Amino acid sequence: MVAGRGARLGLGDGGTIVVPMSTPETTVVLHVDPACPWAWLTSRWLAEVEKVRPVRVETRLLDLAEINRESDQSNETMQRSHSAGERALRVLVMVRREQGDEAMARAYAEVGEAWHERAEPLGELPTLRGALQRAGLDPSLADRALADDSTYEELLELHRDACSADCFGVPSLSIDGGPSIFGPIVDRRVSGEEAGEVWDHVAWLIRRGFFFELKRERKGKAQIGRYRAQTAA
């Protein structure tokens, strides 16, 4: 058998080699919207978790513009943000349709780097084309996605699927087909073994059906490039 991540080979009685049972891989479904900096940081944390724990992350989409359609009518700033996110979501829908889930996850990562870290305007075609190119995809997918009304309809279908899985915001995640839970929220990138340790505790809590919420006051913004640039200015 193959040792799981972090497993060690040792000697048993009589000097025979003992090979530990492989650790089963855990599937995590993460729902995101490109507009949300908190979902972005959670996605980067889980990308690090994949390196140090037997975890496989599947990225799914939730449309914050759809959730907040009514409330955003009185908040122009949030309406612009969510509308830009919706445009990016439609591009991700097209990538998923033509290239599959893994390509969509790569595209989401590059859109996030462009918007959250480099402050390139989310929803604008140059930003979306550039993100697709860095993800190893055809940049013209962005143009085709926004010219095709069916990407919006497909997005709404995916959004309804997320809501039926008890997602009401992002980030939301579920473990091995279990119920969705909102969070966790981290305000900086978490990497290496620290990411694994956070996962160990978060996964333990999520697997307890009686656990619902743990929260404290948030006193600052997410530690991402575009917010740091605003502070510096």
Side-chain angles (χ1 to χ4, degrees):
M1 293 184 182
V2 179
R5 297 185 197 182
R8 296 177 182 273
L9 298 180
L11 294 178
D13 294 339
T16 57
I17 296 178
V18 177
V19 181
M21 294 290 288
S22 60
T23 304
E25 186 175 65
T26 297
T27 299
V28 178
V29 174
L30 172 69
H31 282 86
V32 298
D33 182 307
C36 179
W38 307 109
W40 163 246
L41 287 172
T42 297
S43 76
R44 297 308 87 201
W45 160 64
L46 282 173
E48 290 292 315
V49 171
E50 286 184 300
K51 300 175 184 177
V52 296
R53 296 292 188 272
V55 167
R56 178 173 61 89
V57 179
E58 297 179 358
T59 303
R60 298 287 184 268
L61 307 178
L62 186 81
D63 187 1
L64 290 178
E66 181 65 16
I67 289 177
N68 295 282
R69 196 79 66 189
E70 184 174 342
S71 62
D72 279 354
Q73 292 178 6
S74 59
N75 189 330
E76 186 177 346
T77 299
M78 293 307 298
Q79 186 179 54
R80 285 199 303 270
S81 174
H82 291 153
S83 294
E86 194 168 63
R87 286 169 61 84
L89 282 165
R90 290 176 59 191
V91 173
L92 296 178
V93 165
M94 180 65 85
V95 172
R96 178 178 181 270
R97 181 192 296 175
E98 296 196 0
Q99 301 293 329
D101 289 330
E102 291 186 5
M104 184 189 74
R106 294 201 315 272
Y108 168 73
E110 292 298 342
V111 169
E113 292 289 352
W115 167 229
H116 295 299
E117 301 299 343
R118 297 193 299 273
E120 297 176 20
L122 180 63
E124 297 295 323
L125 276 171
T127 300
L128 297 170
R129 291 175 189 138
L132 293 180
Q133 187 168 30
R134 284 186 291 272
L137 299 165
D138 180 0
S140 72
L141 280 167
D143 300 76
R144 289 195 285 117
L146 297 179
D148 184 348
D149 290 341
S150 72
T151 58
Y152 177 65
E153 297 303 323
E154 189 171 339
L155 171 61
L156 292 183
E157 289 181 14
L158 295 172
H159 176 79
R160 286 190 289 268
D161 289 343
C163 292
S164 68
D166 297 327
C167 294
F168 56 86
V170 295
S172 289
L173 59 84
S174 66
I175 297 176
D176 289 335
S180 295
I181 190 167
F182 180 76
I185 303 296
V186 294
D187 69 356
R188 64 173 175 85
R189 292 204 187 209
V190 186
S191 61
E193 184 56 25
E194 184 183 24
E197 291 174 359
V198 173
W199 165 255
D200 295 338
H201 296 296
V202 167
W204 189 93
L205 283 172
I206 290 175
R207 288 188 171 107
R208 269 62 190 175
F210 55 80
F211 175 76
F212 289 92
E213 185 174 8
L214 181 67
K215 190 173 183 179
R216 60 181 164 188
E217 183 181 2
R218 189 172 68 232
K219 298 183 178 180
K221 291 184 175 182
Q223 296 181 38
I224 55 176
R226 63 186 173 92
Y227 287 158
R228 286 193 292 269
Q230 289 173 5
T231 302

